[in-house]
Amino acid sequence: MTMQADLEMVKALLDGSRKVVVLTGAGVSAESGVPTFRGREGLWKTYRPEDLARPDAFEAHPELVWEFYNWRRKLVAECEPNPAHVALAELERALPNFLLITQNVDGLHARAGSRKLMEMHGSLWQVKCTVCTHAREDFGELEDLPECPVCGHLLRPGVVWFGEPLIPGVLKLAIAQVSDADVFLSIGTSSLVQPAASFYQLAKDHGAVTVEINLDPTPNTGFMDFALHGKAGEILPELVTGLKDRAT
Ligand code: OAD
């Protein structure tokens, strides 16, 4: 089947859907200029993000990990949402029952207008104390080793690192939502990191039709009902164009 025919079928699915749940990954922000995790441009200095986004790296070299996050914060602050983010915000507005679950910490979905949004790996714009309960949203410039204003201990980025559990309650909620979907879309994620990589299976087990949108095939591609290959910033605007407005 041609890509255009698949695209029309997915459009019809969205038009007839009861509940759409979307999972996004770094590929959705690639066209905004945010480096993906596993692409070549994901490297910072000589480090791979996987070597820095972890609690043991922060414990051993907090200044290096903070330098990396301050670099990412600065980089993302200069980026704008792209047509993929905008199309997903439009999709939310057109559908009666919708949830966007993102693994991205860049905040671009919210900036594009998404509100039914779960940032399952936290946010670059959150900081929290490593010792006390202080946590805040912070869009400013941070020092190399920022201190907690309450107890004076070290602050850390409010993101979920490798080897850390998700924010309490998030996984349970995500599982409930994914299980309730009748259409599940996985967009711009390499599907290599659990638990998000298995969400499609959960959706499928509960009867959903599954759709993948990615530049390249992933380990999950063969199990999807539809796989649309190309740039999210080109495919998503096409998908939402002419969609029936069924918002209540
Ligand atoms: P990855 O960097 O692993 O994968 C990005 C995916 O986006 C790849 O499959 C690319 O083919 C695809 N891609 C790139 N450009 C695209 C475009 N313009 N349109 C569509 N697809 C495109 O990023 P994630 O899958 O998000 O977790 O990584 C998952 C998690 O691993 C991250 O949230 C992060 C990480 O390391 C933590 O930090 C805990």
Side-chain angles (χ1 to χ4, degrees), residues 25-27 31 36-38 103 121 160 162 188-190 193 214-215 232:
E31 291 159 72
T36 58
F37 285 90
R38 292 173 182 80
Q103 300 168 86
H121 287 164
V160 177
F162 282 104
T189 174
S190 58
V193 176
N214 200 304
L215 212 48

Side-chain angles (χ1 to χ4, degrees), residues 5-6 31 48 71 88 96 98 122 131 155 166 215 230 235 238:
D6 274 358
E31 291 159 72
R48 293 179 309 148
W71 169 76
L88 286 169
F98 176 90
V131 175
L155 292 175
L166 294 180
L215 212 48
I235 294 175
E238 273 203 63

